[in-house]
Amino acid sequence: MSVPEELRYSEEHEWVSGLGGEDGIVTVGITAHAADALGEIVYIELQPSEGDAVEAGEPCGEVESTKSVSDLYSPVSGEITAVNTAVVDEPKVINDDPYGEGWIFKVRISEEPGDLLDSAAYDKLIEEA
Amino acid sequence: MSADPTVKKTPLHDVHEDLGANLVDFAGYLMPLRYASETAEHQAVRTGAGLFDLSHMGEIFLSGPGAGAALDFALVGNLSPMPVGKARYTMICGHDGGVLDDLIVYRLADETWMVVANAANAAVVREALVERAAGFEAAVDDRSDSYALIALQGPRSQGILEGFTDAPLGDLKYYAILAGRVAGVDALVARTGYTGEDGFELFVDAADAVGLWRALAAVEGVVPAGLSARDTLRLEAGMPLYGNELTAETTPFEAGLGRVVKLDKPGDFVGKSALAAQAQTPPGRRLVGLVARGRRAPRKGYQVVTSGGAPCGIVTSGAPSPTLGTPIAMAYLDSGVEEAGLAVDVRGRQEPVDVVALPFYKRP
């Protein structure tokens, strides 16, 4: 399964793109590995909305698939600047395009996250799982 | 994927790997959960045909002049009067009346019967049958490892299977079985299944499984389907799953399956006195269907609560229903609970549900 090199990853299987950008805004989604393990995603709930704060490692929503339900964690701390309403309306997009159209929310980060994994480390994590 | 060396592989394991199946450890076997989209697999069975590997199920044979009597003693059903070529849904219970497994029993010949047990319970069923058949002229032979079981399920099943056999499938009724040649191999062809659709279960020699699977899978529109689709199909059809709706702590009466307990059959059987007492006592809970009004699925283990928030039941199975488009569940509801205004506690939030009659889906 593809693990894009340019992204950073949490141990809870979220990905982060755009770290180090000038505006400090990153995009968050869940990885292809997680989406595949969950099965077809039928419902996604994001508790915070635009303008709310999220804390790295804290649950911020739920992802429900045909087989199971699991918490969604924010991999970074900061303020939500956008929520992808298209995936809330049609969660299957996350299965179809987890790193593209299936992004979930954007955060203006308040501090640089120190413990995210690079693609090699994440690849190793899912290999060992 | 599990690296546990004790996990068994079915004769179709390589086929599943070739198909890119998502394999999981299920009841001690490495089984396909899904191949691609479980929803597409589910829909294929409802509208066309799906192909399942069920080789993990246990096939235990009883034979001899006392085999029928042994089954009557060992199981809750009245099997010995059943004609050759028929099948029956039944249960094996403990002395306390708790359900050890739910079974399908096929009568293959005057003195030959096949008991099909759930994979996780096959050893328990075998041991109980050996013990309970001891006083009868009957031999118990567990052939689970030498048989593969392939199910072709869906409205197109008969038409498809007729392309591979001369056996008179049109005359084969629901819950009946015949021996024939299918795709060039010997098979026991049963018109049974666990999907709520018409369909066939094909018991073949393990060595013949790959050839038969490949022949059937090559038919246009036949979709290999995994355990995930099997679970949503049987849930929509209101069929109990051992470990969920049925356990050793469950009585058949609570599960709404009291009719399979034949208290009036001649002779004694294991669990009879406990079951007779249970039949006289109104069950403290009963199995119901729930349809969620919202988008959240009640899941196994979630609590059912009254409009006042008081716990009044427990969900045994639940999933988004591909056919209905809403989440559905089966649950044990305490007796005497007002059905209106119930909710399921979904991770701390009360999601309203309606109680409905089972099954959720009946084939047209």
Side-chain angles (χ1 to χ4, degrees):
Chain A
M1 195 149 300
S2 70
V3 175
E5 278 182 26
E6 66 277 18
L7 304 178
R8 291 294 172 268
Y9 301 88
S10 72
E11 289 186 0
E12 285 82 27
H13 307 286
E14 286 87 21
W15 57 259
V16 180
S17 75
L19 278 168
E22 280 181 14
D23 57 2
I25 293 176
V26 300
T27 305
V28 175
I30 64 173
T31 66
H33 170 80
D36 191 60
L38 283 166
E40 276 161 58
I41 298 169
V42 294
Y43 180 80
I44 182 155
E45 181 181 277
L46 213 55
Q47 273 124 20
S49 46
E50 219 176 297
D52 289 343
V54 286
E55 191 78 27
E58 294 296 314
C60 64
E62 293 180 30
V63 182
E64 178 145 10
S65 70
T66 47
K67 291 308 286 178
S68 65
V69 55
S70 46
D71 284 318
L72 179 68
Y73 297 87
S74 180
V76 292
S77 298
E79 179 197 325
I80 300 232
T81 62
V83 169
N84 187 357
T85 53
V87 303
V88 175
D89 293 340
E90 202 187 334
K92 199 178 168 297
V93 173
I94 297 172
N95 293 104
D96 296 339
D97 189 10
Y99 301 116
E101 296 292 315
W103 67 273
I104 298 174
F105 58 93
K106 292 178 190 283
V107 179
R108 179 177 289 113
I109 55 173
S110 53
E111 57 186 296
E112 199 67 20
D115 53 357
L116 293 176
L117 308 172
D118 63 17
S119 61
Y122 183 67
D123 205 27
K124 190 160 177 284
L125 178 86
I126 60 178
E127 278 297 310
E128 287 168 358
Chain B
M1 198 183 298
S2 173
D4 183 345
T6 63
V7 175
K8 294 165 97 171
K9 293 172 181 173
T10 79
L12 291 161
H13 179 78
D14 292 349
V15 173
H16 303 320
E17 287 214 313
D18 289 348
L19 288 166
N22 186 318
L23 293 162
V24 293
D25 178 356
F26 179 81
Y29 286 81
L30 208 48
M31 298 298 292
L33 183 64
R34 62 192 144 87
Y35 298 88
S37 154
E38 62 257 39
T39 305
E41 293 166 18
H42 179 111
Q43 304 292 16
V45 175
R46 287 275 178 260
T47 60
L51 197 59
F52 297 84
D53 177 13
L54 308 177
S55 301
H56 60 313
M57 304 286 282
E59 292 87 10
I60 302 163
F61 284 70
L62 260 78
S63 54
L71 286 170
D72 287 344
F73 175 69
L75 311 179
V76 302
N78 192 17
L79 285 310
S80 57
M82 185 168 76
V84 172
K86 295 289 183 191
R88 192 156 295 160
Y89 177 75
T90 185
M91 293 178 183
I92 184 165
C93 287
H95 291 277
D96 64 353
V99 182
L100 300 182
D101 200 9
D102 61 336
L103 309 163
I104 294 180
V105 176
Y106 300 88
R107 188 168 195 175
L108 303 179
D110 270 346
E111 296 186 357
T112 310
W113 310 68
M114 177 171 68
V115 176
V116 176
N118 286 296
N121 295 335
V124 169
V125 174
R126 176 185 62 234
E127 280 159 29
L129 286 176
V130 167
E131 192 186 309
R132 296 175 188 188
F136 297 86
E137 275 187 89
V140 179
D141 182 15
D142 184 352
R143 299 189 201 160
S144 302
D145 289 342
S146 50
Y147 269 96
L149 175 54
I150 293 172
L152 182 68
Q153 297 276 303
R156 284 188 58 213
S157 301
Q158 184 180 328
I160 290 164
L161 206 55
E162 277 169 344
F164 294 94
T165 183
D166 295 331
L169 300 181
D171 298 335
L172 188 66
K173 296 208 160 49
Y174 189 49
Y175 266 73
I177 189 165
L178 56 76
R181 299 275 292 173
V182 179
V185 303
D186 288 327
L188 293 168
V189 181
R191 199 161 206 151
T192 45
Y194 194 51
T195 60
E197 296 300 331
D198 186 17
F200 299 87
E201 294 184 305
L202 308 167
F203 298 85
V204 297
D205 192 281
D208 294 330
V210 171
L212 177 59
W213 175 284
R214 289 201 195 282
L216 294 170
V219 177
E220 195 179 335
V222 172
V223 175
L227 292 174
S228 184
R230 183 168 160 84
D231 192 47
T232 47
L233 288 159
R234 70 92 198 166
L235 175 59
E236 287 182 348
M239 294 172 169
L241 172 64
Y242 198 88
N244 290 36
E245 285 71 39
L246 298 174
T247 69
E249 284 74 46
T250 309
T251 76
F253 302 97
E254 293 171 327
L257 295 166
R259 65 183 180 279
V260 309
V261 181
K262 304 299 182 191
L263 291 167
D264 55 353
K265 67 177 165 177
D268 193 21
F269 64 94
V270 177
K272 183 178 182 179
S273 56
L275 289 162
Q278 287 166 11
Q280 295 301 315
T281 318
R285 54 182 196 158
R286 65 196 173 88
L287 193 64
V288 298
L290 303 177
V291 173
R293 293 188 186 171
R295 292 168 67 181
R296 307 302 308 271
R299 305 275 181 182
K300 181 183 178 180
Y302 289 7
Q303 258 178 354
V304 185
V305 295
T306 64
S307 53
C312 64
I314 193 95
V315 174
T316 49
S317 297
S321 161
T323 305
L324 277 68
T326 55
I328 57 172
M330 287 199 269
Y332 277 111
L333 194 61
D334 296 344
S335 295
V337 169
E338 175 69 43
E339 288 185 1
L342 295 182
V344 169
D345 185 309
V346 177
R347 295 160 65 95
R349 221 168 51 193
Q350 295 189 4
E351 297 284 342
V353 292
D354 293 315
V355 176
V356 300
L358 292 169
F360 300 99
Y361 166 87
K362 254 188 185 152
R363 66 181 181 243

